[in-house]
Amino acid sequence: MVTKVDHIGVAVNNLEESVKFYEEILGLKLHGIETVEEQKVKVAFLPIGDTEIELLEATTPDSPIAKFIEKKGQGVQHVAFRVENIEEALEEMRRLGIQLIDEKPRYGAGGARIAFLHPKSTNGLLVELCERKG
Ligand SMILES: C[C@H](C(=O)O)C(=O)SCCNC(=O)CCNC(=O)[C@H](O)C(C)(C)COP(=O)(O)OP(=O)(O)OC[C@H]1O[C@@H](n2cnc3c(N)ncnc32)[C@H](O)[C@@H]1OP(=O)(O)O
Ligand SMILES: [Co+2]
């Protein structure tokens, strides 16, 4: 079902500030910054091997990122797994009784189609399913 870790989502207070650690200390290269209105986030992608670090900054006070940081501080907020077909994956999750946050796929960064599973069903990890064309 899931084929790889598409990205690791890390909640940060300030994108530009946080990118410095990944570039200057870890030697990664910023691939791009994008705002995803619907999710109320600004994201920065830093590729590493065949996966990516996705830094996430809230764009509104009611962003899930703002709420996460309020409660838990900065840190890993979700892990995204790549799927071939997100509709089929959601159908399978539904069949297996997994609590879905998104019944239908939504738009993610880089034109991905994404859907979240509730941490209650995943032993506490916020899971994002991510389908990318090509
Ligand atoms: C666009 C880009 C992309 O990749 O393309 C993205 O990733 S967008 C990434 C940003 N967007 C998202 O994260 C969308 C999906 N997230 C959500 O809908 C929400 O954040 C949520 C439903 C996971 C949590 O919402 P909330 O904080 O209002 O709910 P609560 O505070 O009641 O939390 C419900 C329970 O989940 C736990 N909980 C909350 N957030 C997380 C998290 N990130 N990881 C693990 N557990 C979590 C809380 O501790 C609580 O557990 P307990 O009850 O035991 O205390
Ligand atoms: Co993500």
Side-chain angles (χ1 to χ4, degrees):
M1 156 93 75
V2 290
T3 55
K4 63 178 263 190
V5 173
D6 184 86
H7 60 267
I8 297 170
V10 181
V12 295
N13 290 319
N14 179 295
L15 224 45
E16 281 74 20
E17 202 38 52
S18 304
V19 163
K20 286 186 192 146
F21 169 73
Y22 292 89
E23 287 203 307
E24 292 164 18
I25 310 294
L26 298 185
L28 301 184
K29 205 101 199 68
L30 177 63
H31 181 61
I33 292 186
E34 178 182 347
T35 296
V36 181
E37 297 292 340
E38 187 188 6
Q39 293 289 345
K40 302 173 182 167
V41 292
K42 186 164 77 160
V43 303
F45 275 107
L46 298 123
I48 171 162
D50 79 342
T51 190
E52 301 193 285
I53 299 291
E54 176 189 79
L55 300 180
L56 299 137
E57 181 185 322
T59 52
T60 64
D62 68 338
S63 163
I65 298 303
K67 291 174 79 170
F68 178 85
I69 292 178
E70 242 165 68
K71 244 182 269 172
K72 300 179 186 253
Q74 299 185 108
V76 176
Q77 189 255 352
H78 70 274
V79 175
F81 296 108
R82 179 79 65 84
V83 293
E84 301 290 314
N85 179 313
I86 194 154
E87 274 88 1
E88 284 170 14
L90 282 174
E91 206 31 58
E92 182 67 357
M93 292 295 136
R94 215 173 271 118
R95 194 180 64 76
L96 294 167
I98 301 293
Q99 191 180 335
L100 302 179
I101 292 172
D102 302 304
E103 290 295 333
K104 288 197 176 21
R106 299 167 71 177
Y107 287 101
R113 296 175 71 221
I114 65 174
F116 287 89
L117 311 181
H118 200 287
K120 287 238 175 312
S121 292
T122 63
N123 305 310
L125 172 69
L126 179 57
V127 169
E128 172 187 327
L129 301 179
C130 178
E131 176 194 292
R132 288 187 194 282
K133 281 289 160 253

